[in-house]
Amino acid sequence: MTTYPFPAAANPAIARTPQAEDGLVTYGLYIDGAFVPPVGGQYLESSDPVTGEAWSRVPRAGAEDVDRACRAAQAAFDNPEWRGLSASARGKLMRKLGDLITENADWLAAVEMKDNGKLIAELGNQMRYMANYYYYYGGLADKIEGSTIPTDKPGVFNFTRYEPLGVVACIMPWNSPLPLTSLKLAPALAAGNTVVLKPSEFTSASLLEFVKLVELAGFPKGVVNVVTGYGHEMGEALVSHPVVERIAFTGGPIAGRIINEQAARSMKRVTMELGGKSPNIIFEDADLEQAVKGAVTGIFAASGQTCVAGSRLLLQRSIHDQFLEKLVAFLEDIRFGHPSDPETQIAPISTAPQMAKIEEYVRIATDEGARLVRGGKRAVVEGYPNGLFYEPTIFADVRNDMRIAQEEVFGPVLAVIPFEDEDDAVRIANDIDFGLAAGIWTQNLARGIRMTERVRAGTIWVNNYRSTSTTSPFGGFKMSGIGREGGIVGMLEYMELKSVWVSTGVEIPNPFIRR
Ligand code: NAD
């Protein structure tokens, strides 16, 4: 078995994170521009999903650590070194950070691979693309304009302006740690806020390496802080901290609901990017070869561990059997392997609890009477006896009221549901609490457009699946979330709108005289 050492940064100015005596790379919390140990002295271990072995440890922060990070962010927000920077100067810092990300993309990808086991080929592209978040929002920093507003009041001049909120707390999941962080961090910084970042307990390492780039780019200390640990332990201290103005959360609906309730107590703003059970709808008039690839990309990319996974495949009955056959054939020669091998097509599941969840849902689907067409078990991969590999799994004869059709698995498990016609497809697609994304496959343009109007989801793809861009808004309907990330609206989520009235000579009325 090949061992993969902890990679060194491309940039020589970046100090290597030290290993403890037992060989584990040992991280600190990043507060006020310095790596510091947690007050309670406790750590969590992070393991490599390919070997199952621990390779690093990250601090298990408590309320006191969270308080230090929030206070540092508040002090940085009040410091003229940050507050006094023009929006254009902030934009320049952001572009410098984008350049550093580009230079160090392979290194960031390698660290992320060690934690969540994603394919290096995919991660490398993701990291390079991620620089665009900083270029885009850096460019936008000095282009958010207020307006002058014609009012019905004489003698006063009214205008609006956008201002930063202050301290923003960002909480992320494990499936795409740095890109999902950047979707929050880039607009929050461009808008002039300071941040406290809380990565997943399973994948904190890449962010603790990434902040070295933030420092190198020249952001003042305290503008970006990182606290790590269990969300259920230290989350409330962050979500209800008095200096925090907004919570930007990406994760599952259970944690999302708890955080939303806690935030509501002090009227904090929230953005919620939650789960999905997205329908990928194939009509009989679709280009079936394209649609097969779209269905596979939809559910089996990243082993289904993506929020937009097209996990409900709705097949028009007239092409149902033919399409299913093509789908199974397409998956015949897929290659499992180490995520760093460019030939590998299927990487491991990221965490042991996620593997247990997938196995549980396969049991549930079988008990519910769904028909297993492919997979349904762990994959044995030579050289990696402890690797968390799982076969792409397809269940047919699924009814939309089954749990396998209604609940998010977040793994490589596809539920195939037949439908009769357009109305039936719309009914099934919308009969669910989620509304994150949907795919529609048809060569009938009018039908494609009708479906984009009728399916209730935040993102709809017609004859493609998974296209996203920094420049375009992303978010969910219904239980899939609140607010939007990406695009100009994604930046406005991190700003307050102020209305200013200036007298141009108005006579101040005597407040005690009734009119
Ligand atoms: P999760 O909800 O278990 O955890 C997400 C984060 O929240 C972690 O950092 C965790 O420590 C923290 N957390 C948990 N409980 C908390 C609490 N009480 N207070 C504060 N923080 C708390 O989700 P996960 O398993 O890491 O990620 C998978 C989920 O993320 C899936 O449901 C997936 O659909 C969703 N997701 C959504 C999007 C999107 O953009 N809509 C993108 C990626 C993933």
Side-chain angles (χ1 to χ4, degrees), residues 184-509:
K184 300 168 172 46
L185 181 62
L189 291 178
N193 301 285
T194 58
V195 293
V196 178
L197 304 172
K198 151 71 182 89
S200 164
E201 51 272 34
F202 294 107
T203 54
S204 302
S206 57
L207 183 55
L208 289 164
E209 297 291 345
F210 175 86
V211 287
K212 296 176 188 172
L213 300 181
V214 174
E215 199 168 301
L216 209 58
F219 284 85
K221 67 185 173 95
V223 170
V224 177
N225 306 274
V226 183
V227 288
T228 59
Y230 289 123
H232 64 267
E233 256 178 32
M234 40 79 94
E236 187 166 6
L238 181 59
V239 172
S240 55
H241 197 284
V243 306
V244 170
E245 296 280 347
R246 169 178 281 277
I247 323 291
F249 173 76
T250 300
I254 296 173
R257 187 180 286 122
I258 295 171
I259 291 169
N260 201 6
E261 284 172 5
Q262 287 170 353
R265 281 185 219 138
S266 46
M267 220 54 86
K268 293 188 194 324
R269 284 96 184 96
V270 292
T271 322
M272 295 272 148
E273 295 288 350
L274 308 176
K277 192 80 189 179
S278 300
N280 207 355
I281 307 168
I282 323 280
F283 285 98
E284 61 190 3
D285 57 12
D287 175 336
L288 295 190
E289 304 308 317
Q290 291 290 312
V292 166
K293 286 189 265 173
V296 171
T297 308
I299 182 65
F300 298 125
S303 292
Q305 300 170 113
T306 64
C307 53
V308 293
S311 47
R312 284 187 300 155
L313 184 69
L314 274 53
L315 289 183
Q316 192 152 17
R317 203 176 289 280
S318 50
I319 52 151
H320 180 277
D321 294 355
Q322 175 198 359
F323 194 89
L324 210 49
E325 239 170 70
K326 282 180 189 287
L327 191 60
V328 172
F330 193 91
L331 296 165
E332 215 156 80
D333 296 320
I334 42 160
R335 280 185 55 137
F336 290 90
H338 196 283
S340 69
D341 180 347
E343 299 293 308
T344 300
Q345 293 170 314
I346 308 250
I349 301 304
S350 292
T351 72
Q354 186 54 37
M355 178 63 116
K357 187 175 172 196
I358 291 166
E359 291 182 318
E360 172 68 7
Y361 270 104
V362 167
R363 262 192 300 279
I364 290 169
T366 311
D367 291 349
E368 284 177 314
R371 174 166 60 93
L372 183 66
V373 175
R374 190 200 187 283
K377 59 180 189 306
R378 288 186 183 220
V380 181
V381 180
E382 207 188 318
Y384 305 105
N386 299 319
L388 299 171
F389 294 95
Y390 202 85
E391 288 281 356
T393 296
I394 301 175
F395 282 103
D397 301 342
V398 174
R399 284 193 328 270
N400 199 48
D401 62 354
M402 290 179 177
R403 285 184 66 191
I404 195 60
Q406 291 289 319
E407 297 173 20
E408 185 185 49
V409 178
F410 215 60
V413 182
L414 181 65
V416 181
I417 306 170
F419 69 88
E420 305 303 334
D421 54 19
E422 211 174 295
D423 285 345
D424 199 27
V426 170
R427 182 188 60 75
I428 297 169
N430 290 339
D431 183 14
I432 194 144
D433 289 338
F434 293 114
L436 192 59
I440 291 151
W441 300 81
T442 173
Q443 294 191 82
N444 177 336
L445 180 63
R447 165 178 276 167
I449 291 179
R450 273 198 306 275
M451 290 296 288
T452 67
E453 291 166 357
R454 299 182 71 190
V455 174
R456 289 178 50 74
T459 297
I460 308 228
W461 293 294
V462 181
N463 295 330
N464 70 110
Y465 204 91
R466 262 181 209 287
S467 306
T468 55
S469 167
T470 329
T471 57
S472 179
F474 177 84
F477 280 33
K478 304 193 262 183
M479 282 293 284
S480 288
I482 301 172
R484 292 294 179 268
E485 292 191 328
I488 297 171
V489 290
M491 175 127 158
L492 297 182
E493 298 265 4
Y494 293 96
M495 306 191 94
E496 282 286 16
L497 181 59
K498 187 178 270 179
S499 180
V500 183
W501 297 81
V502 181
S503 165
T504 55
V506 66
E507 185 66 29
I508 306 295

Side-chain angles (χ1 to χ4, degrees), residues 35-286:
F35 287 102
V36 293
V39 171
Q42 292 195 1
Y43 288 81
L44 308 170
E45 285 186 357
S46 181
S47 54
D48 181 336
V50 189
T51 60
E53 284 165 19
W55 73 276
S56 69
R57 63 167 68 81
V58 296
R60 182 172 169 179
E64 219 176 310
D65 301 298
V66 169
D67 183 56
R68 279 164 65 203
C70 292
R71 302 271 168 216
Q74 179 65 53
F77 184 70
D78 292 335
N79 188 338
E81 244 195 291
W82 178 246
R83 194 82 178 258
L85 277 187
S86 66
S88 309
R90 283 201 307 269
K92 215 166 163 187
L93 279 178
M94 304 276 296
R95 288 193 289 279
K96 178 88 197 325
L97 179 53
D99 289 346
L100 285 168
I101 292 169
T102 307
E103 279 167 36
N104 289 281
D106 290 334
W107 166 59
L108 296 174
V111 178
E112 199 139 284
M113 183 193 76
K114 269 191 109 56
D115 252 352
N116 78 358
K118 253 193 179 174
L119 295 178
I120 196 76
E122 186 184 345
L123 282 170
N125 289 337
Q126 269 193 354
M127 295 303 141
R128 266 176 278 281
Y129 185 76
M130 198 172 79
N132 292 331
Y133 298 2
Y134 297 88
Y135 296 140
Y136 174 75
Y137 284 109
L140 207 50
D142 57 7
K143 293 171 193 66
I144 299 293
E145 298 172 350
S147 358
T148 51
I149 300 185
T151 71
D152 53 2
K153 298 287 175 291
V156 275
F157 171 64
N158 178 228
F159 68 92
T160 59
R161 71 166 170 236
Y162 285 94
E163 295 184 355
L165 295 164
V167 178
V168 173
C170 308
I171 304 176
M172 284 74 62
W174 47 261
N175 64 318
S176 236
L178 285 179
L180 293 176
T181 300
S182 295
L183 261 175
K184 300 168 172 46
L185 181 62
L189 291 178
N193 301 285
T194 58
V195 293
V196 178
L197 304 172
K198 151 71 182 89
S200 164
E201 51 272 34
F202 294 107
T203 54
S204 302
S206 57
L207 183 55
L208 289 164
E209 297 291 345
F210 175 86
V211 287
K212 296 176 188 172
L213 300 181
V214 174
E215 199 168 301
L216 209 58
F219 284 85
K221 67 185 173 95
V223 170
V224 177
N225 306 274
V226 183
V227 288
T228 59
Y230 289 123
H232 64 267
E233 256 178 32
M234 40 79 94
E236 187 166 6
L238 181 59
V239 172
S240 55
H241 197 284
V243 306
V244 170
E245 296 280 347
R246 169 178 281 277
I247 323 291
F249 173 76
T250 300
I254 296 173
R257 187 180 286 122
I258 295 171
I259 291 169
N260 201 6
E261 284 172 5
Q262 287 170 353
R265 281 185 219 138
S266 46
M267 220 54 86
K268 293 188 194 324
R269 284 96 184 96
V270 292
T271 322
M272 295 272 148
E273 295 288 350
L274 308 176
K277 192 80 189 179
S278 300
N280 207 355
I281 307 168
I282 323 280
F283 285 98
E284 61 190 3
D285 57 12

